[in-house]
Structures are given as C-alpha cells and as structure tokens.
Amino acid sequence: MTEKILLQNGRLVDPTSKRDEIVDMLIVDGKIASIKSKIPASSDYKTVDLSNKIIAPGFIDIHVHLREPGYEHKETIETGTRSAAYGGFTAVCCMPNTNPAIDDESIVTFIMTQGKKAHGGIVDVFPIASVSKSREGKTLAPIAELVHAGAVGLSDDGAPVSDANLMRRALEYANMYNVPVMQHCEIPELSHGGVMNEGRVSTELGLPGIPGVAEEIMIARDLLLSEYTNSRYHVCHMSTAVSVDLVRQAKKKGIKVTCEVTPHHFTVTEEIVRTYDTNTKMNPPLRTQKDVDAIKDGLKDGTIDVIATDHAPHSLDEKEVDYIQAPFGIVGLETAIGLSITELVEKQFLTMNQLIEKFSVNPRKIIGKEIRIAEGEPANLTFIDPNIVWDVEISKFNSKSKNSPFNGRTLKGKAVGICNNGKMILY
Amino acid sequence: MALTSRHLLRLQGMPSDDIRQILDAAISFKEILNRPIKKVPTLQGKTIVNLFFENSTRTRTSFELAERRLSADVLSFAASSSSVTKGETLKDTARNIEAMKIDMVVIRHNAAGTSDFLSKVINANIINAGDGQHEHPTQGLLDMYTLREKFGKLEGLHVCIVGDVLHSRVARSNIFGLQTMGAKVSVCGPATLIPRDIDKLGVDVYHHIDDVLPKVDALNVLRIQLERQAGGFFPSLREFHRYFGVTKERLDKVDKPITILHPGPINRDVELSADVADGPHSVILEQVLNGVAIRMAVLYLLGATE
C-alpha cells in the first residue's frame, strides 16, 4: 500500500543544491515526490508539521563503535543504531575494533545484515574495515575483498598503524579502490601509559600524560606518506592546535587529506578531568582551551571537514573504576547535534548550512555515500529543531551505555526525527 | 574548632587556616607522645579502617599508632591492587565499609583520585594516605610541621624538592602545602623526572643541584624508585648519584647549613649519602615521630568536623 507523507512548512537547508527556503515536501513510498513552497494537503496524506524545524540531508557519523561482534555488553548494532536514530543520524560508519576485528568479508557482511535488520534498516550501517589483519599492525588485511563486501574505509582505530612501511602500503593499496585510510594518530611510545593530556593539569593531578606531540608527529609522518604516495588520508578525532595547522598547511599544498573532530574536543577541556570522573577519559584526551579555540577556527575556515562522535560505549562497571584503569571513550551519538549547535552555530563559528556540510555532505563524500535532495531521490533526511533548549539526561539515552560527561548539561538544538530507507521516526 | 572539609584528600586548595590548625594541634599530640602514658581517649568508640591497596609499612604503622594512641577501634587490611579487578575491588570494598558503619577510612592506593572516589560513595571521613602519583597530604603536613619546628615559621622559607618529582605524591603535597603557607618551593632533578609545566605552579626548576644549594634553607630529598632506571628515565643509578645525589661534599661547599628531609625509606648513597642522612642537619627521624603527631591531629580534627 502506498504511503504518502507530507512535510509542511519545513526550512529546507541543503548545501548541495544551495537551497535554504521554507517548503512542503511530499514523500511517497520513501521517495521524494515533490518539493514546493506549498503542496495542498489531501486526505490520503499523513501530514507532519515542521514549522520552525530544519529539513537537512541525512546526517552520518563516520566514527562510531558499535561493539558487535564481541562486546555486546557495551553496545549492539541494534542499540547503537537506535542511539544513532534518536541522535539524528541516518547512517553510521562502525569501526573495526570488534572481536573478531572487521578484517574478513564475512564480518563486513554480518554487520551490514544486522544493520538492515535493526529498526527496519532506517540507519545505514557502513563498516570500516581494519587496515591490518586482526588490527595487529603487521600485515595488510584483505583490502580489496573487504571493500567489495561493502567496507567504506580502512582503519585500525583504537590503535594507530604504527609501522611506517605498512602505512605506506595501506595508502597505496587503498587508493586503488578509492577508500580512505582513516588513521588513529598516536605514537604509542610517546603516549605510553598516559591517561589525560600532558601539561599543568596532569602534573597537578598526578595522572600520567599523553603529550600532544604523540598525535602531531603521526599526522606529520602520514601527511608526508600521503603526499609521496598521492593517496587519500583521513585524520580521525583530531585534538590539538598543531594538528589543525598541520592539516591546514597540507591542504594548501594539495595533499589529499581530510579530517574529523569530535564534539567533546571542541566543547570541554582537560579542566574537567579534575573531578577524576572516568567519563572524562578518552583518547585522544581532552586538551587545553588553546586547542579548543584552534579546532573551532579550523571548523570555521574549512580545514576540518567533518564532525564525528567517536561514540565509544562502555558499561557502568567498566567505567566505575579508578581513572588509570578505566577504559578510554564516551558515548556521543545522542549529544552530538546539541553540542554542535550550542558550541558552533550559537557562538557563530558555523552557519547552519556549514554545520550540515560537516555532518552530512562532507563525510558522505569521504566515504562515497553522497545523497541528493530532489524529486525522485530517496528521502534520506534529518529533521532538526535548532531552538529547543533541553538538558542531557544519560538515563534517557537509547545507547546501551551511559558513559557521558555531559549529564545535566543544558544544550540548544537537537534532532527531532529522521527519514531513510522508507522509514520515518519522529520523536 | 573545625576544619572546612570532612575529608583530607589533598593539600591543594586547603585553606591556610586549616593547615595551621592541624600543625598547631600536632604540637599538643607530640607532647603526649613524649609522655610515659601515651594514650588519650579522644576517639574512643570510633572505628577506623586502614585500607592499604599498596604496600607501605611505614605509613600504615604511623597511622595505626596514631589511631591507637587516640583510643579508636582499628581495623587494618592490605588488599592487593595488582589484580586486574582492582577497581572493582575498591568499589565493592567501599560498599562493604558503608554497610559496616565505619567512621573513618584511611586509604592508600596506587591510582590517583581513589580517595576522591571513596569520598563520593561513602559517608565516612576519608583520609588520603597516598593516591598514586597525586598527593600524600599527611606527609606534606608532617614535612611542614618538621620545618616549622626547626625554623619557627614557614613563611619565607625556601625548600627544594630533589629527585624523582614526576612520580612523587610527596612532591605535590609539599608544593601545594608549602606555597599556601608562604614558603618558596623549587624542584631539582633530571629533566626526564620533572613533570611537564610544573613551572606554571610557581615552582622554580633546576637541573644542576649545585646551582640551587646556595639558595635554599632545606632539601626534601625524594626516594628514587629503582625501577625508574629500567623505565629509561635516567641512564644509571651511578650517574644519578653523581649528578643529583645529596652528598656531604656538595653541602660543604655551601656556607650555611641546609636542613635535610626525606620521606623514607632511603636508598643510602643513591639519592642521599649515608653521612648526610645521619648527619647533624638531618631531621629524618624527627619526621617519623612528627608523622604520628600529625596523623593524630588530623584524625582528631576530622573526627570533630561532622
């Protein structure tokens, strides 16, 4: 039976078609049938009033840990995609630090199958496969097979590709299939044993530090390798001012580099570690105000292409231990849009149009999953209320895990629904 | 008379009035320790648990003695913190303590922030007896007590902390406490054992011990953990002793006496030569006695701060 949904009075903001206008949009069986300034209602339409709401191309989070297979007590594909859906994302890319790692086409297929089953497949799940077999950093994973099975990028995330020669080969090999190598930038010998940013605060707290150079040296090395091999390179969760500038200079030179930052790295600094709350422990660690400012400038001037969450669920028992022993990472899918609007749009670092580029257009381009908002195209949309003021309540998260340092924080703006693959959720 | 906090977690941020109160109270308790009958009924009926997740015979003995001198009921146990489930153990232990209606908990743990953690999950008064590389507040207090006893005041004193500052909770408590009380603090050690940005705390940094000796009233010489050599922080103990060891020969080059403190146990002839440790300007054994008095003062004042 044909399903017809009429979205009324929404503000369509689509950077790709450069549209920013109030429209009605008719969706018939999951496809955009019509976009007009006014579409007359009809008795066989289900109508949705989107006054004062934004209709954007479907958001994607290209850095998520869904934990399945292997760590289903933290998150599953079912709970992780629900968290994504209620956070405003129509797609996620899941990182391969699962058990087993995503280093075999059967696991790529398994994840995509589970993704299609979850919630009627409203959230697309695009696996990122490992660079190396078992993510051990020794030999290349079967990259061609992984890509042909559906992997959209390559990463050993959680750990860096440390061996420079393996990195060189990965860049060259991945380039044949036009997928990015997405590096977790960290020199392990420099970050060794660290749990927070190295500097005055770590000195005061007596916690072992992770110096910024541990990240920056890896980025510098990889940029040279990327230039040398003329291959695409993507920097994951960039955290320091120097890193931002390295990428800025590399882009000026024409190196094929893209990069992402997380909402927590532009919202909070190492100062919040003073509580010893293990929900402030993540890798890379929270840095200084200078780094936060540099990241915001990098977002503004276009150096930083993407906002991604590094959604890293851990169970309460795993996090409720001492700071040194606690695992790295926080959940991010359900706070990402609110934090970004609050910190970037409200504070005028980004326009709404630019924010949508960083949550949809740019990341989709990086992994080759572009979408268009036009008649005849599938309706892949995120609906946003940019004005709603709300308090983060971790107990209400749809994620299986609640490890967030933002509990109780007041934010402005959030997603109010998504539409994808013929399904719509409004909340 | 009461402190501003129910817990002693750190000296950082502790008001100078609180520190002064503890140091003053310790004078009376030291007097008691010098009597033939050394026991007072101050904490009769109170139950104190000494929770030591890390070996420390000296600190534990000092606390136990202080508690018994105050007539508290004392329960000590050493728990292993080396197992992978150590965090879980701490959480479970905390809940058990809560269930047993313990009044005060003295905790030593190898991870920074564990005493903060305990103070948030249970009702008892928490005393940090050393948390990882963070703080060891009673050591800082007893060092200040010892210095005040020797010099009559802390204000205007210049104290240099020598050795492995990076891994030292004693160093941090000394820096925060002494600065609050108006003393100047410097640190001296190999660059690899000086924590990043410590100068931003208002601490002068030296890498050549002979440069700092003429400027200071006292040295607080830290124990060098022998495993730091294996960790690659310096090439050899011999070289460490040669360039950072506090020796009589070095001290004799300075025309005024320099008071020597050490938190113990000493690696003789590594960070401190034996003749200096046992010499006339060493107050190392005074520190041990003062440690008991300070811990009595802390327990007494926290017990009164409900």
Side-chain angles (χ1 to χ4, degrees):
Chain A
M1 188 186 147
T2 305
E3 188 188 37
K4 299 176 179 175
I5 302 171
L6 179 61
L7 308 178
Q8 294 176 306
N9 298 312
R11 178 183 158 203
L12 173 64
V13 183
D14 179 27
T16 305
S17 61
K18 299 189 168 55
R19 292 176 81 163
D20 188 344
E21 63 207 85
I22 307 291
V23 301
D24 287 355
M25 184 186 290
L26 182 64
I27 298 169
V28 178
D29 285 341
K31 281 199 170 148
I32 298 170
S34 174
I35 306 172
K36 290 198 177 89
S37 60
K38 193 74 204 166
I39 299 173
S42 159
S43 59
D44 62 341
Y45 296 168
K46 184 186 162 205
T47 60
V48 178
D49 180 19
L50 289 179
S51 301
N52 303 313
K53 312 283 196 299
I54 290 167
I55 302 172
F59 281 19
I60 182 169
D61 185 344
I62 61 168
H63 195 132
V64 167
H65 299 273
L66 291 181
R67 303 302 191 201
E68 186 180 348
Y71 306 103
E72 290 84 355
H73 65 290
K74 298 172 192 269
E75 193 85 284
T76 62
I77 292 167
E78 203 270 337
T79 59
T81 51
R82 188 167 64 218
S83 182
Y86 282 89
F89 295 93
T90 64
V92 293
C93 296
C94 56
M95 284 293 174
N97 58 340
T98 47
N99 186 16
I102 310 178
D103 65 352
D104 185 280
E105 55 186 325
S106 64
I107 302 165
V108 173
T109 305
F110 165 77
I111 289 169
M112 293 174 71
T113 306
Q114 293 297 102
K116 288 195 176 83
K117 274 197 266 176
H119 322 293
I122 191 167
V123 177
D124 296 314
V125 178
F126 302 124
I128 291 166
S130 64
V131 171
S132 64
K133 278 183 193 142
S134 306
R135 290 177 57 253
E136 283 174 346
K138 294 193 178 117
T139 54
L140 288 181
I143 290 173
E145 288 175 356
L146 290 162
V147 170
H148 288 137
V152 296
L154 299 164
S155 181
D156 276 357
D157 184 60
V161 179
S162 203
D163 183 301
N165 197 32
L166 183 71
M167 187 63 181
R168 175 205 169 149
R169 287 178 176 147
L171 286 164
E172 290 173 331
Y173 209 92
N175 211 39
M176 294 191 292
Y177 303 98
N178 197 25
V179 290
V181 177
M182 307 165 89
Q183 176 75 304
H184 168 115
C185 296
E186 177 180 349
I187 303 279
E189 296 84 358
L190 284 169
S191 59
H192 177 76
V195 298
M196 69 171 294
N197 183 46
E198 180 173 272
R200 177 180 176 153
V201 180
S202 68
T203 290
E204 289 183 37
L205 295 180
L207 288 171
I210 301 174
V213 288
E215 172 177 305
E216 294 146 6
I217 292 173
M218 188 63 96
I219 293 176
R221 179 200 82 174
D222 287 350
L223 287 170
L224 292 170
L225 285 173
S226 168
E227 183 178 32
Y228 185 66
T229 59
N230 193 26
S231 301
R232 287 174 60 199
Y233 171 62
H234 178 81
V235 183
C236 293
H237 45 52
M238 207 161 64
S239 72
T240 80
V242 173
S243 297
V244 175
D245 207 47
L246 284 167
V247 171
R248 183 180 289 126
Q249 300 312 323
K251 284 189 166 183
K252 277 185 197 155
K253 285 174 72 183
I255 295 171
K256 294 177 185 169
V257 57
T258 53
C259 65
E260 73 192 30
V261 294
T262 71
H264 48 273
H265 283 113
F266 59 68
T267 302
V268 280
T269 69
E270 58 177 357
E271 288 295 327
I272 70 165
V273 180
R274 289 183 186 279
T275 58
Y276 290 104
D277 177 357
T278 55
N279 289 326
T280 65
K281 180 176 174 181
M282 60 283 282
N283 191 15
L286 298 172
R287 305 285 188 184
T288 66
Q289 190 60 47
K290 194 179 113 218
D291 299 304
V292 168
D293 294 342
I295 286 170
K296 286 179 167 174
D297 289 342
L299 283 161
K300 186 175 179 144
D301 73 12
T303 299
I304 298 166
D305 306 276
V306 172
I307 299 169
T309 67
D310 195 7
H311 178 83
H314 293 292
S315 73
L316 183 63
D317 279 347
E318 292 167 316
K319 273 287 195 182
E320 210 175 48
V321 296
D322 71 70
Y323 205 88
I324 290 172
Q325 198 197 353
F328 290 106
I330 61 169
V331 290
L333 284 165
E334 291 168 74
T335 48
I337 293 176
L339 289 168
S340 301
I341 291 175
T342 305
E343 291 300 318
L344 303 175
V345 179
E346 285 295 307
K347 295 181 180 173
Q348 298 183 338
F349 285 91
L350 296 181
T351 62
M352 186 54 74
N353 190 75
Q354 289 170 319
L355 188 84
I356 291 166
E357 285 180 329
K358 294 183 199 293
F359 268 117
S360 181
V361 181
N362 297 344
R364 287 181 177 281
K365 201 177 288 171
I366 289 167
I367 62 153
K369 297 288 177 188
E370 295 96 328
I371 53 174
R372 292 198 318 126
I373 297 183
E375 287 170 13
E377 291 287 326
N380 186 338
L381 305 166
T382 290
F383 310 126
I384 296 164
D385 182 341
N387 298 311
I388 187 172
V389 175
W390 60 290
D391 293 337
V392 177
E393 284 179 74
I394 54 170
S395 60
K396 291 190 178 165
F397 283 171
N398 290 278
S399 169
K400 197 176 227 182
S401 294
K402 318 292 175 195
N403 50 310
S404 167
F406 297 117
N407 194 31
R409 200 177 183 94
T410 302
L411 301 180
K412 189 166 182 187
K414 72 187 295 191
V416 292
I418 57 168
C419 177
N420 188 29
N421 293 331
K423 301 273 183 305
M424 188 180 291
I425 298 180
L426 297 164
Y427 35 91
Chain B
M1 202 163 76
L3 302 176
T4 50
S5 169
R6 307 179 51 238
H7 310 293
L8 178 62
L9 307 179
R10 53 169 64 75
L11 295 190
Q12 186 176 24
M14 187 181 222
S16 57
D17 278 348
D18 281 9
I19 293 176
R20 200 169 293 115
Q21 248 191 91
I22 295 169
L23 299 184
D24 288 348
I27 296 173
S28 321
F29 286 113
K30 188 170 179 184
E31 189 263 317
I32 291 167
L33 290 174
N34 284 315
R35 289 182 197 164
I37 306 291
K38 300 176 176 64
K39 198 158 179 158
V40 291
T42 317
L43 292 183
Q44 208 155 40
K46 295 261 186 188
T47 309
I48 304 178
V49 168
N50 297 311
L51 207 53
F52 277 65
F53 289 90
E54 194 181 67
N55 280 335
S56 166
T57 312
R58 285 166 184 249
T59 304
R60 205 184 71 201
T61 309
S62 181
F63 266 107
E64 277 185 30
L65 200 57
E67 292 153 4
R68 291 183 200 283
R69 296 283 190 240
L70 293 170
S71 306
D73 296 320
V74 179
L75 192 67
S76 288
F77 72 90
S80 165
S81 55
S82 58
S83 68
V84 285
T85 57
K86 63 193 173 187
E88 195 66 21
T89 304
L90 179 63
K91 193 174 72 177
D92 287 344
T93 307
R95 284 175 184 158
N96 276 285
I97 291 168
E98 189 70 348
M100 288 189 288
K101 311 289 178 200
I102 302 294
D103 298 298
M104 297 175 132
V105 178
V106 176
I107 176 170
R108 157 72 61 100
H109 199 284
N110 62 358
T114 40
S115 52
D116 286 73
F117 174 77
L118 267 197
S119 74
K120 282 171 197 153
V121 295
I122 61 177
N123 260 324
N125 304 96
I126 308 297
I127 298 162
N128 180 5
D131 63 326
Q133 297 159 14
H134 175 220
E135 282 220 41
H136 189 356
T138 57
Q139 179 73 43
L141 288 164
L142 77 90
D143 290 345
M144 286 194 279
Y145 182 92
T146 306
L147 287 165
R148 195 177 75 161
E149 197 175 54
K150 173 94 181 176
F151 292 95
K153 62 182 173 80
L154 292 170
E155 203 177 349
L157 282 188
H158 186 174
V159 180
C160 181
I161 302 166
V162 184
D164 181 3
V165 179
L166 178 65
H167 299 98
S168 176
R169 51 191 166 219
V170 176
R172 285 168 178 81
S173 286
N174 265 266
I175 291 167
F176 297 130
L178 283 165
Q179 286 183 337
T180 300
M181 300 312 284
K184 177 176 174 57
V185 184
S186 301
V187 295
C188 179
T192 48
L193 290 173
I194 301 294
R196 185 99 183 155
D197 291 340
I198 197 166
D199 52 312
K200 290 184 182 158
L201 305 182
V203 171
D204 288 345
V205 179
Y206 294 86
H207 300 302
H208 304 286
I209 192 159
D210 294 319
D211 293 348
V212 74
L213 288 180
K215 300 177 180 175
V216 299
D217 302 296
L219 295 179
N220 198 341
V221 185
L222 301 173
R223 174 180 166 80
I224 185 91
Q225 303 283 344
L226 301 182
E227 66 263 27
R228 300 301 172 214
Q229 184 188 334
F233 289 95
F234 55 89
S236 73
L237 286 173
R238 188 196 64 208
E239 181 164 306
F240 184 87
H241 177 66
R242 204 161 151 190
Y243 291 91
F244 296 96
V246 176
T247 61
K248 185 160 186 308
E249 189 191 4
R250 281 212 156 89
L251 294 172
D252 282 348
K253 283 193 268 178
V254 184
D255 54 11
K256 64 170 179 179
I258 296 172
T259 298
I260 305 294
L261 296 92
H262 191 295
I266 304 167
N267 297 306
R268 285 175 178 256
D269 296 321
V270 181
E271 71 265 8
L272 195 60
S273 68
D275 48 6
V276 176
D278 304 330
H281 304 299
S282 162
V283 291
I284 295 169
L285 290 177
E286 277 303 302
Q287 286 175 273
V288 177
L289 178 64
N290 295 342
V292 181
I294 277 288
R295 286 166 183 131
M296 289 173 79
V298 167
L299 292 163
Y300 161 67
L301 287 167
L302 288 181
T305 310
E306 276 307 333

